Amino acid sequence: MDRFVICGGRPLAGTVTAARAKNSVLPILAACILTDEPCAVEDVPELEDVSTMTRLLRSMGVTVTRSGRSITVEASRPVKTEAPYDIVRKMRASYYVLGPLVSRFGMARVSLPGGCAIGARPVDLHLKGISALGARVSLEHGYIDARAKRLAGTTVVLAGTKGPSVGATINTMLAAVLARGRTIIKCAAAEPEVADVARFLRRMGAEIDGAGTPEISISGVAKLRGVRYRPIPDRIEVGTLAAAAVVTGGCVTISNCRPGHLAAPLEVLRQTGARVETSRTSITVAAPRRPKPFNIATAPYPGFPTDLQAQFMTLASVASGTSVITENIFEARFMHAMELERMGAQISLKGNTAVVTGVERLSAAQVMASDLRASAALVLAGLACRGQTEILRIYHLDRGYERLETKLNRLGAKIERVRT
């Protein structure tokens, strides 16, 4: 397995370009099977999760070709309606094929999903949406089997115990676009990625209103067409790079981003004393001499994103006081805390709350990544301390960040990828 060796203590400086959003690209690739015409998704980052999704589509008989940074998907020949465990177990987002398969072909057999080990993430809301549209759903031998002659529009409430579900909202939307009649999704997730997938579907000819709000209205159509589409920038990568600027005491401009998608994280950075300047498509973050402490509680959009909680815990670890971080989305998303403690962080965990007392400087150590965002948090920690930090199991990082070490090295970091 590859690992990172980081020589820290170097302030980051310069300009870096953010990639397109992984959490948009994956459902958009799945949505391409809603039509028999070719769809081209442009400026797609080279991520392990993208490779997994393309492998899944190919295993189903879908033609997938990549040319440079563009991926073309054509589901014109007979499509297998099964998503096998061997692929789905590697990535939870594989589950996005469920809605399109049932909607277009009337059947789907999809393995229960895998992905990061960050607590229970049940698929009950996905199944609730599909079932409400008229699919007969059963669970057998670790597979979801869903069947319907043609889905029919209805009103479905997707309220979950931890708030709206992005995945269930998108999957229900993907199923409803070809359903007969009108579908209303109440308690829908409002994340920018949901609105982005809806824009892609509208380009294909779908009739969708309200995406990006808690209520989405969809009028089913008989057929969708092929299109070319460029997804939105990745707000989580942007937030990670912005936090890296503050952690290292640097000044970084991030281009190809949408600052409006990061209102909550940018406000927290301002609370640390960082200078944050935005334009229509860029963010510049200049760090204070030492960040001030802060309090955050993760919440559905437009609240503070759970996908940035780990990175901001690293930031809290070097702040000049005590910060409180409350994780309201995933119950097991503090596994990075133990690894940060190996580097000298002072973190006290109680239930879903972490109390972090900042230290002046972290200490280099060998650490192990447990999931995608924890990997990014450990990279930031390695940048923040003097000495040599070694991060194991960085395959997690490669699932969602495109050559992060290359981008950081261009800003003045010293990160070596060691292949074993």
Side-chain angles (χ1 to χ4, degrees), residues 118 120-121 162-164 298-300 304-306 326-333 352:
I118 55 174
R121 293 189 287 174
K162 300 296 181 71
T298 63
F304 192 93
T306 181
T326 304
E327 175 53 64
N328 292 315
I329 308 299
F330 296 120
E331 73 277 8
R333 207 168 199 177
N352 67 331

Side-chain angles (χ1 to χ4, degrees), residues 23 234-241 305 307-308 311 373 401:
N23 291 336
D234 194 321
R235 62 192 173 102
I236 304 303
E237 183 186 61
V238 173
T240 300
L241 293 168
D307 279 355
L308 285 174
Q311 299 90 311
R373 306 307 174 184
Y401 292 91

Side-chain angles (χ1 to χ4, degrees), residues 20 28 40-43 196 203 228-232 258:
R20 300 289 162 176
I28 285 172
V41 187
E42 299 178 333
D43 200 15
D196 198 30
R203 294 270 186 92
R228 300 188 70 87
Y229 190 77
R230 180 177 284 111
I232 60 172
R258 298 190 182 182

Side-chain angles (χ1 to χ4, degrees), residues 155-180:
T155 297
V156 56
V157 180
L158 293 181
T161 57
K162 300 296 181 71
S165 166
V166 172
T169 299
I170 291 176
N171 228 338
T172 304
M173 193 164 60
L174 295 177
V177 290
L178 292 178
R180 182 177 62 253

Side-chain angles (χ1 to χ4, degrees), residues 1-120:
M1 296 181 187
D2 291 1
R3 66 185 190 275
F4 277 168
V5 176
I6 304 175
C7 294
R10 300 164 179 261
L12 300 183
T15 299
V16 62
T17 301
R20 300 289 162 176
K22 173 183 87 84
N23 291 336
S24 284
V25 169
L26 298 177
I28 285 172
L29 289 173
C32 293
I33 62 178
L34 285 164
T35 178
D36 60 1
E37 298 180 12
C39 293
V41 187
E42 299 178 333
D43 200 15
V44 178
E46 294 181 3
L47 304 173
E48 187 58 35
D49 274 9
V50 172
S51 296
T52 299
M53 180 60 81
T54 58
R55 282 198 299 273
L56 174 62
L57 294 175
R58 289 189 181 110
S59 77
M60 295 161 54
V62 177
T63 301
V64 182
T65 56
R66 180 157 195 157
S67 177
R69 298 185 68 81
S70 178
I71 293 179
T72 300
V73 179
E74 185 173 356
S76 58
R77 62 185 185 180
V79 173
K80 300 175 185 176
T81 56
E82 178 172 322
Y85 170 73
D86 187 55
I87 299 176
V88 176
R89 68 181 175 84
K90 299 177 182 178
M91 182 186 69
R92 183 177 177 82
S94 304
Y95 215 60
Y96 282 128
V97 300
L98 175 64
L101 287 176
V102 179
S103 188
R104 182 178 167 199
F105 301 104
M107 63 181 67
R109 188 170 185 266
V110 180
S111 170
L112 289 172
C116 285
I118 55 174

